Amino acid sequence: MPPLAHPSIQDGWFREISSQWPGQAMTLKVNKILHIEKSLYQDVLVFESETYGNVLVLDGVIQCTERDEFSYQEMITHLPLASHPNPKKVLVIGGGDGGVVREVLKHDTVQEVVLCDIDEAVIRVSKRYLPHMSALLESPRVKVFVGDGFKFLAENEATYDVIITDSSDPVGPAEALFQKPYFKLLHDALTPGGHISTQAESQWLHIPLIANLLKSTRELFAVSRYAFTTIPTYPSGQIGFMVCSKEQGRDLSMPVRKVTNTRYYNENVHRAAFVLPQFVQSFLEDGKDILPVFGRAAAAAKVATEGKKIRKVLLLGSGFVARPCAEYVVRDPSNVLTIACRTLQSAQALAEGLPNAQGISLDVNNTSDLEAQVSAHDLVISLIPYTYHVTVIKAAIKAKVHVVTTSYVSPAMRELNEEAKRAGIVVMNEIGLDPGIDHLYAIKTIDEVHAKGGKIKQFLSYCGGLPAPECSGNPLGYKFSWSSRGVLLALLNSAAYLSESKQLDISGNELMGYAKPYFISPAFAFVAYPNRNSVPFREWYNIPEAETVVRGTLRYQGFPEFIKALVELGWLDASEKDWLKEGLTWAQVMQKAIGANDASESTLVAHVKSVCKFPNDAEATRIISGLRWIGLFSSETVKPRAGNLLDTLCAQLETLMKYEQGERDLVMLQHKFVVEWADGSEVCICSSNTEAHPGHSAMALTVGVPCGIATQLVLDGVFKNPGVHVPYTKEICDPIRELLESEGLGLVERVL
């Protein structure tokens, strides 16, 4: 049995990363994982930590640890019970770990405790791994009910003296536990003079939520107060409670009974729990936010005060690389971002959590709608397929709106240069990773060498976006960090490059056959093949002296041979097939694609071997096993996409070769310059960057951030010469590179 693993545990550390506390995270060093399961309701994780004992985590959020759980359990329990004159019947909603029940039983007046938790897994797991908390669930005074707390409350009106809601955070189903209808159920389930206590989040993170809770509960209860406790492993080291009473005039901050055998709670702590810091009191009682204003909020206030012009940006596309670009654009509070995608849901999902951003639905094939949206903005970022760029640029010329793309400039785009100049707009292109960052550092080194009297004799530039080695365990050694269709179509591009002053031309169908091992530092098992036409870059980069000029792509060993087989078998054919219909199996589609006599696996395999002509049996076995892994010999029914083999294969590979949660991708970009100095000596200068990231993919960062930087520079007027531009000059490259390096995304240069 393999060792247990969980996506929230990386490199031996648990990380509690959540949108509920943006920009911060609790981490604990993990000795070992004890338990993992997906219950009917949530992800359940238990691990042994180095310094906090056993830790229970639900949906990635710490619920309790052996070291500090007592501060929370004692306070959420004793604040309502110790201030109640005679609590006999107590209901606990949630709290399946048993900690609250343990504390309730410290009150001699209590005759019965009912625990109602919807998830039996929490109760079961806690009994095994947190017995010091859950042992008293077996007490004769305790009844355990597994079920819906809402339904239980509705069926037990006027029954309980105290009700304690030990809930998770207000996300998903638990969000309802923070809303007024739930508090009405609590109110009605109490006896006259009854009390409630509910988990009410952190004053450092959730003051608006706390204010809403206070407002809702004051409309229902005679007395409603917010109190808090400290606990190291909860967000910001603090958590609060909404404590309410049906009894008019009840002083919830005054304990009427002494509670013994506690570790955190005492009478003075009880009273002090209701004494709030001034910033909390001001917000809750006076509606005034007196917290310091800094960062983007301060910049936004300055924009509002100074009346700075608001710039409207339209981002077309919501693919893999769009989010880092969008995040960069909205850093400036004077930028208002509209994200447009064919599907409204995708656009809104990308805009979620971004200030000054909204998502809209837009079909770029609808010219009038596209032109209307473009004309309503000051700049358009086009991250949609390159085939649409000309249409977008024409709409921008008509509206006199700037454009930024990450794509290569096509001949049709170049033809719009004069029109763009007449419209007075900047059309900035090729500013992602490759193309993009590669240009920035090629121009830098070439200019520096020329300034010192040197000559570039050879220029080799290779770039690859790949899964990190530990995440590359599939037959292609590849996963998709951008459009699967774009990846596969790029493999059919013809290529040309210069080698020893001779031009070599390669057709798209032959490209994978030219892949060769490429030795790179740091050491990876890479192969490399040329990418598009490198020949014009001798002129564009101003290196007429160069004898070798090649720009290419890096992949792990074994990838080109596999793709070559797919090409030979017809699976990268984007032409529509009349016969590709619903109801066919993958084996039947394979039979028709390659012209086999029948759809049996043995026949298909034999035909594949005859078509592909593998160099040896080992290679045949490897690639045929990979085809089997994709499912191309299977009896499963195909769901055709776009009526062609390429897109249908893309749909299958997107499922099989997607990045799983916690997996990293890798970007490797390396330039090699063979330089001849004036004295005849030669050196090799290497500029390289290896990026591997969790969270945003390395590909998304290295494409999206440069695009965002270029966008901001156009908006700020740093780039103001109208026309269709590419970053092939010092004037364009230097400002972008300076900002890129401030983001930690630059290349490192060394002499080999």
Side-chain angles (χ1 to χ4, degrees):
M1 179 179 176
L4 296 175
H6 193 273
S8 63
I9 297 174
Q10 300 290 332
D11 300 322
W13 287 82
F14 167 80
R15 303 174 304 158
E16 186 186 56
I17 297 174
S18 171
S19 60
Q20 299 169 79
W21 34 90
Q24 66 182 67
M26 179 68 186
T27 63
L28 290 175
K29 191 170 185 181
V30 178
N31 287 342
K32 60 180 176 180
I33 299 174
L34 301 173
H35 182 85
I36 293 173
E37 76 170 274
K38 291 281 188 183
S39 76
L40 293 174
Y41 302 97
Q42 55 204 333
D43 178 86
V44 181
L45 164 68
V46 183
F47 65 87
E48 179 190 288
S49 69
E50 183 172 284
T51 52
Y52 278 82
N54 288 355
V55 181
L56 173 64
V57 179
L58 301 180
D59 284 338
V61 176
I62 295 172
Q63 303 300 306
C64 56
T65 81
E66 288 185 290
R67 177 176 173 179
D68 65 3
E69 55 83 15
F70 61 87
S71 67
Y72 173 81
Q73 315 293 348
E74 290 180 10
M75 293 297 282
I76 196 173
T77 303
H78 302 317
L79 292 179
L81 267 80
S83 58
H84 190 288
N86 189 29
K88 295 181 179 179
K89 296 188 68 175
V90 178
L91 172 63
V92 179
I93 302 288
D97 53 52
V100 171
V101 169
R102 179 194 66 200
E103 297 303 317
V104 170
L105 293 175
K106 293 177 181 177
H107 292 260
D108 294 336
T109 61
V110 172
Q111 299 171 357
E112 179 183 277
V113 188
V114 175
L115 172 70
C116 178
D117 195 306
I118 198 168
D119 195 345
E120 65 80 27
V122 176
I123 300 171
R124 167 173 44 81
V125 169
S126 298
K127 286 181 177 180
R128 180 173 180 182
Y129 297 105
L130 299 165
H132 73 290
M133 296 176 65
S134 59
L136 289 179
L137 293 179
E138 307 299 328
S139 167
R141 287 194 285 167
V142 177
K143 295 180 180 178
V144 176
F145 175 79
V146 177
D148 184 351
F150 279 79
K151 183 179 180 182
F152 190 90
L153 287 168
E155 294 173 351
N156 289 274
E157 292 189 3
T159 302
Y160 296 99
D161 301 308
V162 175
I163 303 175
I164 301 168
T165 304
D166 179 10
S167 71
S168 53
D169 298 295
V171 176
E175 186 177 2
L177 303 178
F178 291 77
Q179 296 171 348
K180 191 173 181 179
Y182 179 69
F183 286 102
K184 181 66 166 62
L185 285 172
L186 292 174
H187 176 277
D188 294 347
L190 288 173
T191 57
H195 291 184
I196 69 163
S197 176
T198 70
Q199 191 269 103
E201 297 300 329
S202 169
Q203 59 194 353
W204 288 103
L205 298 169
H206 307 113
I207 292 186
L209 172 65
I210 295 167
N212 288 335
L213 289 174
L214 204 58
K215 179 178 182 294
S216 296
T217 53
R218 284 178 173 174
E219 292 171 356
L220 294 168
F221 292 89
V223 181
S224 180
R225 301 278 302 275
Y226 178 78
F228 70 94
T229 189
T230 63
I231 176 167
T233 55
Y234 281 10
S236 297
Q238 182 272 341
I239 196 74
F241 316 103
M242 201 58 60
V243 188
C244 308
S245 175
K246 293 174 74 171
E247 183 69 26
Q248 188 70 43
R250 180 71 50 81
D251 187 355
L252 295 170
S253 67
M254 185 63 63
V256 296
R257 251 183 343 279
K258 187 175 182 62
V259 183
T260 60
N261 193 26
T262 60
R263 289 187 170 96
Y264 187 94
Y265 175 91
N266 61 41
E267 294 177 4
N268 290 330
V269 169
H270 184 127
R271 287 187 284 268
F274 292 88
V275 180
L276 302 179
Q278 188 59 43
F279 76 91
V280 182
Q281 184 175 312
S282 293
F283 195 98
L284 297 183
E285 302 302 332
D286 304 324
K288 295 181 179 179
D289 186 352
I290 63 172
L291 285 169
V293 179
F294 56 91
R296 190 187 185 282
K302 185 178 180 181
V303 166
T305 301
E306 297 179 351
K308 185 178 178 181
K309 182 179 183 296
I310 300 299
R311 287 86 62 90
K312 297 179 180 179
V313 179
L314 176 65
L315 192 160
L316 300 176
S318 60
F320 290 107
V321 305
R323 178 74 184 205
C325 178
E327 289 176 354
Y328 192 94
V329 169
V330 298
R331 287 187 196 178
D332 187 329
S334 64
N335 295 339
V336 175
L337 180 64
T338 301
I339 298 169
C341 184
R342 186 169 51 84
T343 57
L344 178 61
Q345 186 177 7
S346 297
Q348 291 176 334
L350 183 61
E352 186 177 359
L354 293 177
N356 287 3
Q358 65 166 339
I360 65 168
S361 173
L362 176 65
D363 184 353
V364 294
N365 291 301
N366 187 318
T367 303
S368 61
D369 286 354
L370 174 64
E371 291 180 348
Q373 285 299 330
V374 169
S375 66
H377 293 80
D378 300 300
L379 183 146
V380 181
I381 303 169
S382 184
L383 295 180
I384 52 180
Y386 70 92
T387 51
Y388 292 103
H389 290 334
V390 169
T391 301
V392 172
I393 295 170
K394 286 180 177 179
I397 289 170
K398 183 177 181 179
K400 297 184 177 181
V401 170
H402 302 302
V403 181
V404 176
T405 85
T406 60
S407 299
Y408 285 104
V409 175
S410 66
M413 293 164 69
R414 287 187 190 278
E415 289 175 2
L416 297 174
N417 183 45
E418 292 303 320
E419 290 184 54
K421 287 180 178 179
R422 287 194 293 272
I425 67 168
V426 175
V427 182
M428 184 62 68
N429 306 279
E430 298 189 22
I431 190 58
L433 167 63
D434 174 13
I437 297 177
D438 56 346
H439 297 328
L440 305 182
Y441 284 88
I443 297 301
K444 172 183 179 292
T445 302
I446 290 167
D447 284 353
E448 290 172 350
V449 168
H450 284 170
K452 295 176 182 178
K455 296 179 180 180
I456 305 292
K457 303 301 288 182
Q458 296 182 37
F459 171 70
L460 300 93
S461 175
Y462 287 99
C463 184
L466 298 155
E470 73 273 14
C471 305
S472 61
N474 65 57
L476 283 86
Y478 192 83
K479 292 189 176 183
F480 295 109
S481 58
W482 62 292
S483 162
S484 61
R485 195 176 202 273
V487 169
L488 295 181
L489 281 177
L491 302 172
L492 297 177
N493 289 328
S494 59
Y497 65 98
L498 294 171
S499 177
E500 298 178 349
S501 299
K502 295 179 181 178
Q503 179 170 331
L504 301 178
D505 297 297
I506 306 168
S507 68
N509 286 337
E510 298 174 328
L511 182 62
M512 291 298 99
Y514 278 79
K516 298 290 187 291
Y518 189 72
F519 302 101
I520 205 164
S521 177
F524 286 89
F526 285 145
V527 292
Y529 52 87
N531 180 23
R532 298 175 180 260
N533 187 0
S534 302
V535 176
F537 283 91
R538 181 161 65 174
E539 175 188 347
W540 293 340
Y541 282 176
N542 190 29
I543 47 174
E545 72 275 21
E547 298 166 356
T548 296
V549 177
V550 58
R551 301 170 76 252
T553 300
L554 296 172
R555 291 290 182 260
Y556 289 131
Q557 291 178 10
F559 177 89
E561 295 84 357
F562 202 107
I563 295 298
K564 182 173 180 289
L566 289 174
V567 171
E568 291 172 341
L569 296 170
W571 279 100
L572 269 62
D573 183 355
S575 63
E576 189 169 345
K577 307 295 182 188
D578 292 339
W579 52 263
L580 187 54
K581 305 292 185 183
E582 295 275 355
L584 294 174
T585 67
W586 281 101
Q588 289 170 332
V589 172
M590 177 66 115
Q591 176 197 356
K592 290 180 177 293
I594 65 177
N597 292 329
D598 60 66
S600 67
E601 181 169 325
S602 59
T603 300
L604 294 176
V605 167
H607 202 87
V608 167
K609 289 181 177 180
S610 69
V611 170
C612 296
K613 297 180 174 58
F614 300 113
N616 52 59
D617 289 343
E619 187 69 349
T621 299
R622 182 180 75 85
I623 292 177
I624 288 169
S625 295
L627 299 175
R628 187 178 293 111
W629 174 81
I630 294 173
L632 300 185
F633 305 138
S634 80
S635 59
E636 291 186 13
T637 304
V638 172
K639 293 182 179 178
R641 178 192 283 183
N644 67 68
L645 291 171
L646 171 66
D647 287 291
T648 300
L649 177 65
C650 285
Q652 181 78 341
L653 295 183
E654 285 165 9
T655 300
L656 293 172
M657 296 167 60
K658 66 176 186 285
Y659 282 90
E660 303 295 342
Q661 186 177 2
E663 289 190 331
R664 306 181 306 155
D665 72 329
L666 169 82
V667 163
M668 168 62 79
L669 170 60
Q670 187 169 91
H671 295 330
K672 287 183 181 177
F673 307 84
V674 175
V675 177
E676 181 183 277
W677 297 114
D679 62 3
S681 63
E682 285 193 354
V683 298
C684 181
I685 299 174
C686 175
S687 299
S688 62
N689 184 23
T690 306
E691 295 283 339
H693 291 273
H696 282 322
S697 71
M699 179 63 72
L701 284 173
T702 52
V703 174
V705 172
C707 181
I709 290 171
T711 297
Q712 192 63 53
L713 291 172
V714 173
L715 290 171
D716 291 342
V718 176
F719 300 147
K720 56 187 177 184
N721 292 332
V724 177
H725 295 284
V726 284
Y728 298 167
T729 64
K730 178 180 176 66
E731 292 71 27
I732 294 177
C733 291
D734 282 2
I736 299 175
R737 193 181 65 252
E738 180 180 344
L739 290 172
L740 186 74
E741 289 175 353
S742 72
E743 300 292 321
L745 296 176
L747 270 63
V748 177
E749 184 177 288
R750 57 197 175 114
V751 177
L752 300 179

